[in-house]
Structures are given as structure tokens and as C-alpha cells.
Amino acid sequence: MRLDCAIIGGGPAGLNAALVLGRARRTVLLFDENKARNAVTRESHGFITRDGVKPAEFRALAHQELSRYPSITVASVRVTDIEKQGEACFVVTTETGERYEARTVILATGLKEQLPEIHGITDYYGHSLFSCPYCDGWELRDQPLVIITDTAEHAFHMGMTVYQWSRDIVICMNGGERLAADQAEKLQSKGIQVYEQRIKGLAGNEGKLAGVILEDGVELKRSGGFVTSEWAHTLPFAEMLGCELNEHGGIAADDFGRTNIDGLYAAGDASVIIPAQLIAAAAGGSRAAMGVNTELMHADF
């Protein structure tokens, strides 16, 4: 049997896409190898009715809801290849050698983070260092915070953004770019000190940050903060299939997830890198599912 849609990735985008398509009576196979980017996250925020939900709880609830729809199947296996064969036919191959044919594909593969090379940073990431103020700023409100980045654009933007949650902020450029004079002056006028030195390491215990140690030995007493990461696609399917990318490096797609490849859709962080939020990814999955259903409806009616 040829599937109506194969969904690659079991994060919020893939899960929501499966739900919408299942409710549209489409045959769907959701491939989920359970390697979420937010695996280090203890709680997810900003999703109405699910504010503070643990990622594992969110996934369990989602799978419970998907099980109500008989046309949805979830496969806990890694996809290793996707090939487009003619019109309206994709062949999806898994690590176990199984092959599935699908009329459409949604890439909801998410992203992987590449943290700065700072000794011990992974001990604190997801506990007291985070990437998104909108996701975790409330929990760090009014605390002494650090922003770790190496680009001037991110430094100024994050300084301005995080200022909404705390007035006690330092920015560590970790030997990276220098801010423009007007940016540095603006930050300084708000009491935000910028340190250009490289970071030697971090101090703290059990994931709780206590300080940032600079290469000259100065320790900045901080209890939390935000770090900018490099983003990369978790799997090479966009490149393999010839997808165009947007200005942020995500898969270029229209409002309904359509890519430049007929029948291929993208949703969630794989497409919309900024903002990388749970609720935004889920919404992208819903839109892509509507795009898929509309395409199949026009083909079949």
C-alpha cells in the first residue's frame, strides 16, 4: 500500500502533522527515532495548556492521542534514505532495510545544536543555561545572568531581549567579534558590561551555574544565562532531495510547508529556525498537514 504521507521526525511538528492528517483520514507513517533536540530540557514553556510540561510527558500525551486514529502508524526507527521516483512517489528506506512508498513526505527532522567549545558547558545547558529567553526567561527573572555569544549581532539583540527579564546582565564574547561603538555604548548605558576575553570555564554544581571564569582568571558571579549555538540539520535529506534553503539555513517553504520539490513539505525547526519554540513547531506541522491534504485532495477529486 502506498502511504498518503510519510512524516520524518517525531517532535512537535511531526506529531501535530500526523494528528491533522489522521483526522483527515489519510494514511500516515510517522518515523520517530526519539532523539529530540530538547532532550536536555526539563520543562517546556509557552504552549498554552501545556506550560511547564516535561518533554517526555508531552510526547507520551501526543502518542496517546495519535493512537485514536487507525490510519496513523508510528515507527520507532531511523530513516536512512529518501528517494523521489517519478511523480507523486517517494521511497523511504529505514536503517533496517525496510522500504515504504509515499505520495508525499513531510520533513520534520528538527535541528541539532552545536554549543560553543567551552569546558563544562554541557553540564549547565538545559539546567541554568538556555538558548531562548521566551522559553526560559521567566524562570531566570531578576537573577544575575550571562549571555555567551561570539557574534556582535547576537550580542546586542540578546542583550536587549534579556533585559526584559533581568537588569543584571553581562555579555561574554568569548574572543569573538567586537561590537560596534554605538551598540557597546547603548548596552553600557543600560548597565550591561561586555567582556571580550575568551572563557576559560564555568563554575557551579549539579547543573547550577555559579560563575563564568575568563582566561585572565576573573570570575563573573552568575546564576544562569543564555548561550547562542550554531544550528545544523540533523539529517541530510533536504540536501539529498535538492531543497532550497532560506536566509537562516532552514528548508525554504511557503505558508503551508511546500518546498521547491513537488510533494515534499517541511515543518518545524527544520524550516523555521527562528523562533525555535514548541508551539511554533507544532503550528508548522499543522500547516504542512493541511498543505499535504490539499494537494492530495486536488489530485484525487
Side-chain angles (χ1 to χ4, degrees):
M1 180 185 69
R2 181 176 294 185
L3 301 163
D4 286 323
C5 186
I7 302 174
I8 319 301
L15 291 166
N16 218 59
L19 176 63
V20 172
L21 286 171
R23 290 180 56 80
R25 307 180 73 181
R26 297 296 183 183
T27 54
V28 177
L29 181 52
L30 173 65
F31 294 93
D32 179 14
E33 60 173 329
N34 193 18
K35 290 186 178 180
R37 177 177 67 84
N38 67 348
V40 300
T41 303
R42 292 178 294 175
E43 296 179 346
S44 297
H45 297 279
F47 199 134
I48 194 70
T49 76
R50 290 291 178 265
D51 190 48
V53 69
K54 292 176 173 54
E57 180 187 0
F58 179 86
R59 285 172 52 82
L61 289 168
H63 281 261
Q64 180 181 352
E65 291 177 357
L66 294 183
S67 68
R68 302 171 188 165
Y69 301 94
S71 66
I72 302 174
T73 303
V74 179
S76 300
V77 64
R78 181 182 180 86
V79 172
T80 56
D81 187 55
I82 303 173
E83 184 181 357
K84 194 172 193 303
Q85 294 186 349
E87 186 176 351
C89 182
F90 293 85
V91 177
V92 178
T93 305
T94 70
E95 62 185 351
T96 55
E98 296 170 299
R99 290 163 62 87
Y100 301 88
E101 289 188 1
R103 300 172 69 189
T104 60
V105 169
I106 296 177
L107 295 179
T109 49
L111 298 169
K112 58 183 176 182
E113 294 169 311
Q114 299 172 338
L115 294 170
E117 293 184 3
I118 298 172
H119 180 70
I121 195 169
T122 56
D123 296 335
Y124 302 96
Y125 192 66
H127 299 279
S128 52
L129 287 177
F130 305 93
S131 62
C132 174
Y134 289 99
C135 301
D136 299 288
W138 173 260
E139 285 67 37
L140 298 180
R141 65 193 184 280
D142 299 325
Q143 296 183 36
L145 304 180
V146 61
I147 296 169
I148 300 174
T149 184
D150 59 4
T151 64
E153 179 183 359
H154 288 153
F156 186 75
H157 175 74
M158 285 292 284
M160 181 169 54
T161 302
V162 176
Y163 192 76
Q164 179 62 26
W165 284 273
S166 175
R167 298 293 191 264
D168 187 354
I169 303 169
V170 300
I171 298 176
C172 291
M173 298 302 298
N174 195 30
E177 298 175 358
R178 299 190 67 175
L179 275 78
D182 61 332
Q183 292 178 326
E185 289 172 6
K186 185 65 174 179
L187 292 171
Q188 189 173 14
S189 74
K190 296 296 184 180
I192 300 175
Q193 182 69 40
V194 178
Y195 293 86
E196 297 179 348
Q197 305 98 306
R198 287 193 174 278
I199 296 172
K200 182 179 180 181
L202 304 173
N205 188 40
E206 296 184 348
K208 180 63 177 176
L209 185 70
V212 179
I213 305 169
L214 303 179
E215 63 180 354
D216 60 6
V218 171
E219 182 173 346
L220 307 173
K221 299 296 184 181
R222 303 284 100 182
S223 60
F226 298 91
V227 56
T228 59
S229 306
E230 295 291 331
W231 303 97
H233 290 279
T234 57
L235 295 168
F237 301 135
E239 181 180 356
M240 289 167 55
L241 292 166
C243 291
E244 295 176 354
L245 302 181
N246 57 38
E247 60 182 316
H248 299 294
I251 302 170
D254 68 9
D255 290 342
F256 286 91
R258 302 180 187 92
T259 72
N260 61 301
I261 306 299
D262 289 341
L264 183 65
Y265 293 72
D269 295 350
S271 177
V272 182
I273 293 179
I274 301 171
Q277 277 194 301
L278 187 73
I279 194 167
S286 180
R287 290 195 301 270
M290 292 179 189
V292 165
N293 188 60
T294 300
E295 176 181 333
L296 298 178
M297 178 181 65
H298 281 286
D300 297 340
F301 193 73

